[in-house]
Amino acid sequence: MAKAIPSTAIAPRIAVRAGVATPGSRALPEEVPVALSFGGTTQAVMMATPDDLEDFGIGFALSEAIIRAPGDIVSMEIIQADQGFDIQMQLAEGLQAAFSARRRKMAGPVGCGLCGIESIEEALRSLPDRKAVELVFGSDDIREAVRSLSMHQKLRAETGAVHAAGFYHPGKGMVCVREDVGRHNALDKLIGAVARSGTSASDGAIIITSRVSVDMVQKAVIAGTGLLIAVSAPTALAVRTAEASGLTLVGIARGADYEIFTRPDRITTGRIDQGVESDVA
């Protein structure tokens, strides 16, 4: 097992406040290359925060449909190399053969979730149908989920420079939170953590701190949730993809205010104004 690398580092800086310059230091998040390898073949190299790498490996494998469940990985070893890490996973025999047949290479810098995709069909892949997921959230649940995610962002509180993804159960509260410099990485880590815990993602909602691009919707749908909540807005393609998959998509969730883009039947909002603007909070 590789030695742990601290997730933060202290950097000297000069802070200018109201025209006054003051020397000092600030905690910054670390960012290192992390390779994700299956059967000795590297599938991706992502720039990531060196925390929760086991969750990252499993979550990536799940969201990329390389595996169906954590048990499909028969062994995992995290090796430190070249100022980063290589998460080396061995798959069950049949899955390893399938992976080798579909192998593609991609490089994933922060903020890029589809780098290296070789075809339009692969980027806009078929997704499971989540229309039958039975989940009901109220406005209070959405507000509490977003508030709770913020409270559990320890790395952001220290550095102010990372994304987070959380899993919120309406009866249990915030079950799990993962952070990373990359929004896709944070979501993959969360998906891995939820899967490793044995919790069904269909029992709660995924909350993210970033905008909602189509790949974030794809990952949430594959994870199994029926509800994705984001503090920022979605893209038009993300909304169309969520609608087609039966995912309830809530965006711009800030305080008591939010906007429902798809499957509003899972959200109990009270009165809805049928005019141009909807009073849903």
Side-chain angles (χ1 to χ4, degrees):
M1 184 65 69
K3 295 189 300 181
I5 290 179
S7 57
T8 62
I10 302 300
R13 60 95 174 102
I14 297 174
V16 180
R17 305 285 189 269
V20 178
T22 305
S25 61
R26 168 178 278 276
L28 302 176
E30 281 289 2
E31 181 182 15
V32 302
V34 177
L36 297 117
S37 302
F38 301 88
T41 299
T42 296
Q43 170 75 357
V45 179
M46 311 296 284
M47 298 306 298
T49 303
D51 279 344
D52 305 304
L53 295 183
E54 294 90 348
D55 293 336
F56 188 24
I58 292 172
F60 177 88
L62 285 168
S63 68
E64 288 294 310
I66 295 169
I67 63 173
R68 297 179 295 269
D72 291 334
I73 298 174
V74 297
S75 68
M76 177 189 294
E77 185 177 8
I78 299 175
I79 297 174
Q80 190 168 355
D82 299 327
Q83 301 181 11
F85 295 94
D86 188 355
I87 306 174
Q88 297 188 358
M89 291 166 274
Q90 297 293 327
L91 304 177
E93 185 175 346
L95 290 176
Q96 186 61 51
F99 167 77
S100 298
R102 58 161 273 190
R103 174 178 174 266
R104 62 180 170 81
K105 290 188 176 183
M106 73 180 189
V110 172
C112 184
L114 294 175
C115 295
I117 294 292
E118 295 177 349
S119 69
I120 292 174
E121 291 77 13
E122 195 171 6
L124 303 178
R125 53 185 165 167
S126 297
L127 295 173
D129 190 328
R130 302 304 181 197
K131 295 182 179 68
V133 173
E134 295 183 1
L135 184 68
V136 177
F137 259 59
S139 293
D140 289 344
D141 292 317
I142 293 174
R143 180 170 57 249
E144 177 59 23
V146 174
R147 186 192 71 83
S148 182
L149 179 62
S150 178
M151 290 179 59
H152 283 82
Q153 289 180 248
K154 297 180 180 178
L155 193 55
R156 189 201 65 171
E158 186 177 358
T159 67
V162 295
H163 286 292
F167 182 73
Y168 184 88
H169 188 289
K172 300 177 182 177
M174 187 61 70
V175 175
C176 182
V177 172
R178 291 293 182 266
E179 295 180 277
D180 198 277
V181 290
R183 59 195 176 96
H184 309 97
N185 300 340
L187 182 51
D188 277 339
K189 287 179 178 181
L190 177 76
I191 291 170
V194 171
R196 291 177 72 193
S197 73
T199 302
S200 173
S202 64
D203 292 338
I206 289 176
I207 305 92
I208 58 176
T209 59
S210 65
R211 65 184 174 87
V212 189
S213 51
V214 66
D215 49 314
M216 301 294 273
V217 167
Q218 290 170 338
K219 289 177 184 292
V221 170
I222 289 173
T225 185
L227 173 57
L228 177 62
I229 302 169
V231 301
S232 192
T235 66
L237 179 57
V239 171
R240 292 194 296 269
T241 302
E243 183 68 44
S245 301
L247 177 74
T248 298
L249 179 57
V250 171
I252 319 176
R254 301 166 188 177
D257 300 330
Y258 57 91
E259 298 184 16
I260 309 170
F261 291 91
T262 61
R263 286 295 302 268
D265 55 292
R266 291 194 180 107
I267 309 297
T268 57
T269 60
R271 182 178 66 87
I272 297 182
D273 188 340
Q274 298 300 322
V276 176
E277 296 293 334
S278 293
D279 181 13
V280 298

